[in-house]
Amino acid sequence: MTPKIARFLAADSPVCPCLVFDLDRVEANFRNLRRALPLAQIYYAVKANPAAPVLERLVSLGSRFDAASFEEIRSCLAAGALPADISFGNTIKKAAAIRAAHEAGIRLYAFDSAEELAKLAENAPGAAVYCRIMVENEGADWPLSRKFGAEIGLARELMLCAGDLGLDPCGLSFHVGSQQTRTASYEAAIGRVAMLFTDLAEAGVNLRMVNLGGGFPARYRETVPDIDDFATAIMGAMTAHFGNALPEMLIEPGRCIVADAGVVASEVVLVSRRAKDDPVRWVYLDIGRFGGLAETENEAIRYQIATPHDGGPAGPVAIAGPTCDGADILYQRTPYRLPIALAAGDRVLLEGTGAYVTTYASQRFNGFTPLAEHYL
Ligand SMILES: *Cc1c(COP(=O)(O)O)cnc(C)c1O
């Protein structure tokens, strides 16, 4: 937690649940990434946290943006981004959204199928397009692999026909999976992209861009390699495969820009036991799976939790949300221990919740108000 967040929590005692977010941390994370990978253009993945203050700060730093919908494109434009600095990176787009983006001046689009390529040709004639290829997502706590990406053979065929459709086939992309903890995943993916680059060049299509996607991890309960380790691996692989004919490099970080800039403050609603002597206490918070903590599905993302009693004796707990849905459990298998003194009414802090939380909150499921957001 940053000093700014700590001061706000102490002075303002905001109503829970809420996200308290330090914009200076976003700036520090962005600058650190740009320093580590100076040759890569940063396209912030808007979905990680689309709040206007975040987008505005990133515009002021010269960030570009990866948008998943026309609504996200509109948010970027409203924050001051130029159409030329926005990529429509979702491979699944309605024709109407493509048309709206094209009319708004968006030039760069992702696809991973023949069907989507045809849609782009029809609704965004002349656009620059890149094909997302399927890569291994091993090592990612929040994998994306099964839903996206074309097999190499299909990608080759699609890139060959994009020109005939009146589009500009500019490059290839991949995503190694979110919260990716292995630098080797990028190396392997770059190897696959490079092979296809060579193959397509021999067939007469010269690509100029590689989009390395996102995936860079945030620090939750476990330590992760730092951004310099990823940068070293990426530049090593790029140089090994492309020599001094490096293509333009794009990265689309989401999580690593915003996760550690935010803290969710939550009130303990109930601490109870299922049976009289059960050593495991159930801790029910006023935020759960439906209040924005969707990434606790399969206990994939394990947030660090701070309480007012830290340092005192602790015991095992299961942690759940406040709704009447049985799926609203955050952690039951992951060993969590919280202080014995923890009681209803206490305020706990979930750290690293600046990414993938606010927008995952449901529309008042069980009547609960979605979490408030404070951008400092
Ligand atoms: C979600 C997403 C990202 C951001 O991923 P992070 O793991 O948050 O860095 C980047 N690119 C695309 C296409 C995405 O879908």
Side-chain angles (χ1 to χ4, degrees), residues 45 47 66 89 132 175 178-179 214-216 252-255 356:
K47 75 175 189 284
D66 169 52
R132 178 164 171 178
H175 197 301
S178 201
Q179 188 65 7
F216 308 102
E252 299 172 334
R255 190 184 299 279
Y356 301 119

Side-chain angles (χ1 to χ4, degrees), residues 134 137 143-148:
M134 205 187 296
N137 274 204
L144 307 162
S145 56
R146 280 156 299 170
K147 184 169 169 185
F148 307 102

Side-chain angles (χ1 to χ4, degrees), residues 31 36 53 69-70 128 181 187 189 191 238 257-258 272 275 340 366 376:
R31 289 186 188 280
S69 63
F70 183 68
T181 55
E187 294 169 322
M238 288 297 293
I257 299 287
V258 287
S272 63
I340 301 293
N366 268 184
L376 316 176

Side-chain angles (χ1 to χ4, degrees), residues 81-203:
L82 301 174
D85 292 340
I86 301 170
S87 161
F88 202 163
N90 193 343
T91 53
I92 306 153
K93 303 175 282 299
K94 284 187 178 173
I98 298 170
R99 270 199 305 278
H102 183 64
E103 275 161 30
I106 309 302
R107 300 285 305 140
L108 188 59
Y109 298 80
F111 71 95
D112 65 2
S113 66
E115 294 77 3
E116 186 74 9
L117 188 63
K119 254 197 256 168
L120 288 171
E122 188 179 334
N123 298 288
V129 296
Y130 59 92
C131 186
R132 178 164 171 178
I133 64 164
M134 205 187 296
V135 297
E136 288 297 329
N137 274 204
E138 211 182 313
D141 286 341
W142 194 256
L144 307 162
S145 56
R146 280 156 299 170
K147 184 169 169 185
F148 307 102
E151 289 273 5
I152 286 287
L154 174 62
R156 178 180 189 278
E157 203 175 295
L158 297 177
M159 291 307 279
L160 286 175
C161 78
D164 299 334
L165 292 171
L167 295 162
D168 167 19
C170 67
L172 299 172
S173 77
F174 59 79
H175 197 301
V176 293
S178 201
Q179 188 65 7
Q180 175 57 255
T181 55
R182 300 186 192 170
T183 56
S185 299
Y186 290 89
E187 294 169 322
I190 289 167
R192 306 201 71 176
V193 161
M195 273 197 310
L196 188 48
F197 253 68
T198 309
D199 195 5
L200 283 167
E202 280 162 9

